[in-house]
Every structure is written in C-alpha cells, then in structure tokens.
Amino acid sequence: MAILINDDKKLFTLQTRNSTYQMKVGEFGYLYHLYYGKRIDHQDLSYLLYDGPSHFTPYPYESKNRVGSLTLMPQEFPTVGTGDLGSVALDVENADGTRIIDLKYKGYEVLAGKYSLTELPSFYSHNNDAQTLKITLVDVISDIEVELYYGVFEDKDVITRAVVISNLSENAIQLKKTQSLSLDLISGQYDLIHFHGRWADERNFERVSLTHNVTTFGSDYGISSAKENPGFILLNKDTTEETGDCYGFNLVYSGNFQATAELGTLEQSRVTLGLGDNEFSWQLDPGAMFEVPEAVMSFSSTGLTQLSHNFHDAIRENLCRSKYINGPRPVLINNWEATYFDFTGKKLLEIATAAKDIGADLFVMDDGWFGKRSDDNSSLGDWFVNEQKLGCSLNELVTKINALGMEFGIWFEPEMVNEDSELYNAHPDWVLNFPHRRPLLSRGQMVLDMSKEAVQNYLFDRISDVLDSANVSYIKWDMNRPITEWYSKDLTDSRQGELQHRYVLGLYKLLGRLTRRYPDVLFEGCSSGGARFDLGMLAYEPQIWTSDNTDAINRLKIQYGTSFFYPISTMGSHVSASPNHQNGRVTPFETRANVAMAGTFGYELDVTKMSDADKKQAKAYTDFYKRVQEMTFEGDYYHLVSPFDRDNDAVAWQIVAKDQSKSLVTIVATDVVGNPPFVYIKLRGLKSNAKYKIKDNIYSGDALMNAGLKLMQPKGNYLQNKFILKKLPILNELEVRFCRPPQQENLAETHGSTWS
Ligand code: DGJ
C-alpha cells in the first residue's frame, strides 16, 4: 500500500519502494511535515518535532505555553500571515486588504489512480501504478479551501504534488504567490544543485551550500528559460553519483517559475517551487478555483544516478504521451545549418537525396518556407507556404521526399509574429504590448497573446491546413524570444497579473488540440535551442532540441546538465559541420557522431557537400545508432566522468540496457598530453557476475565496475572511444568509444548563427 493513514493520529504516510513521506495534523489543526527520506516502516515520527519555546517568533494565540510557532514547526504548506517567517507557499490578499490565509486541516480522501489537472499537463498513471491522496485545508474566516494532491508512484519512488485553491466565499481574493510544493526538512545539512545557463550554453551544473540567506532562482522570461531550469536537487554534503541522500524537484510547467532554498531559524531546510510571483497575481472570484501547476519530487539514498533514473523512468512512462516514446525515433536531417534561409525546393531535395545515403529517415524543412521570409525580419505568423521559393507546392515537395523513402517534417514558430507580416497588419491587437508604448523586439519579432482564443484558433487552423495539405509526420515547434510585454487587451487592468499564466494555459490548450488531432505526428520542442526544456513541454512533445550549440565539446556539458532530470531520449542531438558554426571548433566526425548518439540522433549539415568517404562513415554511424537506439530510449544512463570536473582530460558516460545485456560506453578526450598515463574508467550498471565482451576481450562485470577498463589516450584531435559491451554467455555486448579532442589551433571563423 502506497498510502497509509492513521485516522486517530491524523497521520499520513506515503510509502514508495525506497522512500517514506510523512505528514501529521498537529496542534491547532496545522498540517506538519514530519519526514521525507529513506523508507521507514510505518511509525509516527512526530517525536522529531521541536517542542521548545518560541524565542522571538510568533506563535498561535491558542498556544498556552508559547509553543508551536510556525516559523519553527516543519510545515506542509506554509502560508502568509500565520507567523511563518520563511518563504511561504501561498500568499493572498483578501477583499479587505489583509494578507493572511490561515489553513487548518479539514479532511482527506484516498483516490484510485493518479489525479489529473483540468487545464495543465500532469503525470499520469500507467497500468495502475499510482494512487492519490487528497488533503483538504481550509481558512474558516475567509472561506478559502486548499486541496493538496499527492500522486504516489510507488515503484518509481516518485511523488507528484498539485494544489487546487477554491474560493468558497462571496468576495474575490487576489492570489499573490502560489507554489506547488514546499518541503521542510527538520534535520540535515544540504547542498543545492541547480542548472543555469544562457543561449547556446544551457543547463550548467552548479553545486552550492544552502545558507541562511534565501537562495532564489527561477525565470522571468515567460518560458522556463535557459537562465535556470525548474529542475533542482538538494543533497547531503557527501552525496555523490553512487552514494548518499538526495532529493530532486521539478515542475510540470513551461512559464515563469520560482524556486527557493533556505536554512531556517533552527537550521531546518526549506525548499519551495512553483509559479513565478514577479508581477503575478490572480483574481479568484467567488466560486472559482485555481490549479497550481504540478510539481514532482523523488528521493534517493543511493546517490544522484538513482535519482536521475527515477525521473527518467517516470518521465518516459508517465509523462510523455506520444506514440514515439517507446519506439525507435526517425534519424532526422535538418536543413537549418546547411542552408539557413537560403534554400529552394530543389536544394532541399538534393540534401534529402544525399541524406538518404547516410541513413536518414526524416527530412526536416526548418525556418524560411512561409510568407516571404528570406531572413529573420519578416513573415512570422503568415503560415502559408512560399511556393515561389520552393518552386512547387508543399505536397509536391513532400511527395518527392516520401518517394525517397523518407518522412517529412516542418518548422513552425507559432507564438510569434513579425511587424512585417500579413498577420500583424490584420491583427495588430493580437500582439502583447503595453498601451501607448513601442514593444521591445527580440530577433525582430513580437509575441502573440496566446491567452486569446482567437489567436489559438488562428494557429490551430493555419497549422492544421499545412498538416492536412501534405504528408507531414514531424513538427519542430520553436519559440525564439523572451516575453516581456505582459499586457493583454482582453484583460481588465486589475487582471493583467494573470497574463503570464494565461499565456501558458493558452499554449497548452493549443498543443493539446494539435497533439490530439495529429497523434501520429512527432513533435519536437525548441526555444532558441534549449530555452524551454521542461516537463510541461515534454507532456506534449517527447523530444526537445537541447541547444542551438551543436559543437560536440560544448555539448558534453549541455547534455550532461540536461541528463540529470531529462532522459536522453528527450534530448535532440545532431551531427553538424566542422568547423562548428557556433564556435568555429574543428572536431573529427567520430566525435560529433558519438556525442550526438547520447540523444535523439540526427544530422544538421549539408550532406551534398560531404565526400563519398565521409558519407560512408556517416552511414556506418547511423546504422550503429539504429542498432543501439533501443538502449538510448529504454536503458539506464550513467555519468562516468563529469565534464564539469576540471581535473579530467576526458568525459565519459554509459548507457545500459534495462536487462543489463548490452551497454555502450563513450569517452571523449577533451585534451591530449604527451607521454600520457593510461586512462582507467570504472563502468557502472553491469551484472557483476556476468561476462562482457569488448571486441575480442572478455571481462567480468565485477572487474569492469571495480577495477575498471584500461584505455590508451587516443592520439589526435578530440579522441572518442565507444565500446559496446556484450554480455556472455547470453552474449553481453559492451561497446566503448574513445573520441579525439578538437584541434584548438584550427579554430575557424565562426559562422554566427543568423537566428539570434
Ligand atoms: C532557433 C532554433 O533553435 C534553430 O534550430 C532554428 O530552428 C532557428 N531557430 C530557425 O529560426
């Protein structure tokens, strides 16, 4: 049983395979959080609670002996005005201007299966693998009810949380801050890992100590952003990949978010995660309810790798909905870095024809096929095929590409509009902009008001028309600027604070309609690369372009950071040209190919310019990828050597089939030295008593994991080595690839992407 309840004690325990989460209704009716950590048999842990006096902290009026200050008590859902002086999860302004919501326990319900939300994406139960606990809290003075939902995925060690706020009173209230989760940990000393970045350098790993100052991070970009990712980790000081306690938190949301982490007065730790509250407010009318986006958390007592695996499995099996999630994905060839805007239908067909020779299954026509777009100054919004540029109709082009035995995909940037477009001329009022002001531009474009139904309908119709006009099996859904003008002409002045969330709801509504109407179309998310890499988008689009930076060496960090929460099957990853277009670095083909294999593999270069020998090599890599891609999509991913560790001259990772019969190890040398020592790498995730074959050598799993592999530093540039392990006698396969480093001295001139 995943949910255990002791009615007399009002004690709620959520049990997963390896973790326990416990709450209890305490004195004065407050819901205390008692424990989240390694699994403990069902026992009341309330003896852990602080029961000393409240020194310089406010305590409830009813408290006879001055105990029970909410600044000191670990709470499940801390709120404004109740004497909790830490970061709260809910802040409201009542009709009379007061800032208080005093939530007391009202009741609970256990529901079969996993709850879902009406307007927001959420994890779902698969083969009855989840149960729901709903706890209702109420402020009896203001008549506001708050339902806390817990979705317990017992076997996956994952718990989801959502909050629904209902106004049962006769007065409207303003929600000022709504967090999806708050977690108080009574004891322990923790570090925080968060993933920060910028365009072309997303999800850098940063580990810092929790301090008494509140560490706040999040996004005000209108999207989850490259600046910070909503996924973060709290871990013991000595936790490593393989040992120690750690907690992971993430949000199923694609807009502004906020996370906090802090040490409290009694050295307790608190984290919160939810909607960004900068400029946010929401008028909750009498009788109305508000859903706070879902948060997801997991605990591992055996280090970061297990924590990642918990998230990877749950995301693949309980969040992504596409039919592609379990099967092989097409190897795609995208024309962006091959042509940018400068293409014709003939050129695209040439690329597709050449790409067929290297094993590509899907040709993707990127930006520039619509309106009169020949650079990034015009036509966003005019989703009409530019037949003059293509030299034919879309259907004719797609038919020719299909005749090659390839599928066809197409790029859209639905949320955007250029001033120079028919759409803007017809509907200038559809754009987010402050009255009497000029809008800020970014890449020369403005943002459509996605909260408007007319905008959603227009985009649904335009995209459907394109999809219905030809055999399109893939969409790349791009979004290339931050949102800054939070003003909608449809909302009254007092409701403008709702727009950032209404935008995301409108986006999800459109994505929901399209993905339901075109269940066989593969959607890939993108936002100037990986600026909207989050669980909200993954609920609709099972893969996301990880970064506009296609340099294999920069990608080592980007893909490593991304992989803590997100399965590599969700990470778009392509082989591009060398010298690389973003940083001019020269890398061998093998390095680029092997790095791209740690994701949904594809190509992003002009295949017509490749020599026959290079094409032959590329074909061999594509074939190899197809052979191992099942491991990529279903297997377990291990970090072996981190790219963020400056002492290492190599980066390494490993993918292992779920049945441990096969494994792929990839090592990329990031520097080479003269007279190098051997490189020893300990593998992970193998069966210790099984035999694995690497080329002609046979090793025991035990030896490979404890003594390690002995490798010679490859000579040359950006060495990569890739080993496939085969298990014996049931032939376990292990392939190891060691890749060459780049030729730094050969830095070529950066092409400079035309997108930014
Ligand atoms: C940004 C994306 O990340 C690129 O891959 C490409 O699609 C451009 N936009 C097109 O404008």
Side-chain angles (χ1 to χ4, degrees), residues 172-191:
I173 62 162
Q174 295 289 334
L175 304 176
K176 294 289 192 189
K177 175 181 182 182
T178 59
Q179 299 292 276
S180 314
L181 76 74
S182 171
L183 180 70
D184 283 358
L185 295 170
I186 295 177
S187 63
Q189 287 193 318
Y190 299 100
D191 283 349

Side-chain angles (χ1 to χ4, degrees), residues 332 334-337 362 364-367 369 383 408-414 463 467 472-480 511 521-529 532 541 543-548 550 574 604:
L332 71 83
N334 179 303
N335 74 302
W336 179 242
E337 288 199 11
L362 164 72
V364 178
M365 176 171 70
D366 210 281
D367 193 356
W369 56 267
W383 304 110
F408 182 86
I410 194 164
W411 178 96
F412 284 96
E413 194 181 355
I463 295 169
L467 294 192
V472 176
S473 41
Y474 163 105
I475 284 187
K476 179 173 173 186
W477 186 292
D478 208 344
M479 195 289 186
N480 288 313
L511 279 166
V521 170
L522 172 60
F523 283 72
E524 173 152 1
C526 178
S527 178
S528 292
R532 195 160 59 181
E541 303 173 333
Q543 61 193 55
I544 297 177
W545 182 225
T546 314
S547 177
D548 269 348
T550 56
H574 302 169
E604 185 120 359

Side-chain angles (χ1 to χ4, degrees), residues 263-302:
L263 279 173
T265 312
L266 296 177
E267 307 303 316
Q268 69 275 46
S269 305
R270 170 173 291 176
V271 294
T272 68
L273 175 62
L275 287 179
D277 61 356
N278 195 5
E279 295 175 38
F280 168 83
S281 66
W282 189 279
Q283 182 173 313
L284 196 64
D285 289 325
M289 62 108 168
F290 181 82
E291 288 177 342
V292 188
E294 179 169 270
V296 53
M297 53 192 194
S298 183
F299 168 80
S300 155
S301 63
T302 52

Side-chain angles (χ1 to χ4, degrees), residues 452-516:
K452 260 174 135 42
E453 219 171 303
V455 171
Q456 296 162 24
N457 289 339
Y458 169 80
L459 293 172
F460 181 79
D461 291 344
R462 295 296 338 118
I463 295 169
S464 300
D465 279 356
V466 173
L467 294 192
D468 293 344
S469 73
N471 184 23
V472 176
S473 41
Y474 163 105
I475 284 187
K476 179 173 173 186
W477 186 292
D478 208 344
M479 195 289 186
N480 288 313
R481 63 156 287 177
I483 309 170
T484 41
E485 275 78 4
W486 289 117
Y487 187 90
S488 169
K489 289 152 196 95
D490 281 5
L491 294 172
T492 57
D493 289 352
S494 66
R495 297 197 94 127
Q496 294 298 334
E498 300 176 14
L499 184 57
Q500 21 181 293
H501 184 53
R502 287 188 185 278
Y503 180 97
V504 182
L505 293 179
L507 169 68
Y508 287 155
K509 200 165 167 192
L510 177 60
L511 279 166
R513 284 173 72 188
L514 286 167
T515 49
R516 277 193 303 276

Side-chain angles (χ1 to χ4, degrees), residues 42 76-77 89 117 179 184 208 225 230 236 267 290 338 440 494 514 556 605 607 630 641 712:
H42 194 213
E76 193 56 27
F77 198 66
L117 299 171
Q179 299 292 276
D184 283 358
V208 293
S225 90
N236 276 354
E267 307 303 316
F290 181 82
L440 291 172
S494 66
L514 286 167
L556 294 175
L605 39 71
V607 194
E630 195 186 320
V641 184
M712 189 52 180

